[in-house]
């Protein structure tokens, strides 16, 4: 038996090869086979499908998709101080692909892990930044890397004050997290996009959304 198919994998999951087999929303796509490539923590699949091109031709295609579940992220801002509350942590994939030290400044974020997006981002803001979040503003929900990663990321924004900083933050040590809480003036954060000190896509999107919508006014 194969882990993740008949036999539960490390997270107790079975039937992982069934995802995508029942897709019917696009008549130009017919899924033929789904193979599990890896199921260590998240799931890597190789899917074979027939695709009808705009000129009517059918071709057989293969794509590998990385399924890590959906996630949520948040921009916490303080209008009085004109500041935003971000995190700084080590990201090995960025480090191995050219970032000087792998230490990225980011908006708080995390996987849903079975929660709805709003509940999940409240949890992550508390764990990473030590903030108890009040009213949330949904911003948008987007696929961040649709060529290979299935994750849809839910974006939020919310104000914070000193009174909302009810914990130390820093992440969960038992999950290997070592997160520094970073408070920046909003204008400085925008400058850091320009000079490359902020190079994380979700964070750039949230900061630019805030600038376009005059959130600090």
């Amino acid at each position: 038996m194969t882990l993740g198919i008949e036999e539960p994998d490390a997270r107790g999951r079975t039937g992982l090869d069934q995802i995508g087999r029942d897709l019917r929303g696009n008549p130009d796509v017919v899924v033929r086979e789904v193979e599990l490539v890896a199921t260590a923590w998240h799931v890597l699949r190789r899917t074979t499908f027939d695709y009808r091109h705009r000129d009517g031709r059918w071709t057989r295609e293969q794509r590998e998709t990385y399924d890590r579940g959906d996630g949520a992220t948040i921009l916490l801002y303080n209008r009085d101080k004109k500041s935003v509350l971000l995190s700084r942590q080590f990201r090995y994939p960025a480090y191995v692909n050219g970032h000087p030290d792998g230490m990225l400044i980011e908006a708080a974020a995390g996987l849903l892990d079975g929660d709805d997006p709003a509940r999940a981002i409240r949890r992550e803001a508390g764990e990473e930044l030590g903030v108890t979040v009040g009213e949330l503003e949904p911003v948008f929900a987007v696929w961040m890397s649709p060529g290979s990663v299935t994750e849809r990321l839910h974006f939020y924004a919310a104000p914070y004050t000193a009174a909302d900083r009810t914990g130390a933050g820093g992440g969960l040590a038992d999950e290997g997290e070592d997160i520094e809480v970073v408070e920046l003036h909003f204008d400085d954060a925008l400058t850091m996009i320009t000079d490359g000190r902020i190079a994380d896509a979700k964070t750039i999107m949230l900061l630019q959304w805030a600038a376009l919508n005059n959130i600090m006014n």
Side-chain angles (χ1 to χ4, degrees):
M1 292 191 297
T2 304
L3 290 178
I5 299 180
E6 300 95 348
E7 183 179 347
D9 69 356
R11 301 182 69 179
R13 301 169 297 188
T14 58
L16 294 177
D17 63 326
Q18 298 302 306
I19 303 300
R21 292 180 183 269
D22 60 349
L23 291 172
R24 300 290 185 271
N26 188 339
D28 297 326
V29 178
V30 179
V31 175
R32 296 300 184 187
E33 184 59 50
V34 180
E35 306 166 73
L36 290 185
V37 179
T39 61
W41 187 249
H42 304 310
V43 182
L44 181 63
R45 297 180 180 88
R46 182 184 298 114
T47 299
T48 303
F49 59 91
D50 293 337
Y51 179 74
R52 180 164 52 195
H53 295 257
R54 288 178 295 165
D55 62 6
R57 292 179 302 114
W58 285 91
T59 58
R60 182 149 294 184
E61 310 287 344
Q62 276 193 337
R63 297 291 185 274
E64 289 186 356
T65 57
Y66 188 60
D67 182 356
R68 61 194 300 270
D70 290 346
T73 185
I74 189 169
L75 180 67
L76 293 169
Y77 60 89
N78 185 310
R79 286 195 177 100
D80 292 335
K81 297 175 65 175
K82 305 293 185 186
S83 63
V84 291
L85 204 60
L86 304 172
S87 67
R88 186 172 186 265
Q89 59 184 308
F90 178 68
R91 296 297 199 184
Y92 179 76
Y95 186 43
V96 77
N97 195 32
H99 190 279
D101 59 8
M103 302 298 295
L104 265 63
I105 295 175
E106 306 177 32
L111 297 179
L112 303 188
D113 287 334
D115 285 334
D116 66 81
R119 182 179 179 87
I121 199 54
R122 291 180 188 278
R123 180 192 70 226
E124 294 297 329
E127 291 175 358
E128 295 190 4
L129 302 180
V131 173
T132 299
V133 176
E135 185 176 356
L136 284 168
E137 179 178 357
V139 177
F140 35 63
V142 301
W143 284 268
M144 296 294 289
S145 186
S148 58
V149 181
T150 62
E151 179 186 19
R152 189 182 189 192
L153 192 61
H154 300 263
F155 286 68
Y156 292 93
Y160 76 93
T161 66
D164 298 321
R165 300 184 68 173
T166 56
L172 300 180
D174 59 357
E175 294 185 3
E177 294 181 332
D178 181 22
I179 298 172
E180 177 188 357
V181 180
V182 178
E183 189 170 37
L184 296 173
H185 192 279
F186 183 64
D187 290 342
D188 291 339
L190 293 177
T191 298
M192 292 169 75
I193 295 173
T194 302
D195 64 25
R197 285 177 291 166
I198 291 180
D200 171 67
K202 63 182 180 295
T203 308
I204 293 172
M205 291 167 69
L206 281 168
L207 290 170
Q208 291 182 338
W209 168 84
L212 287 170
N213 289 276
N214 297 313
I215 293 300
M216 289 301 177
N217 295 329

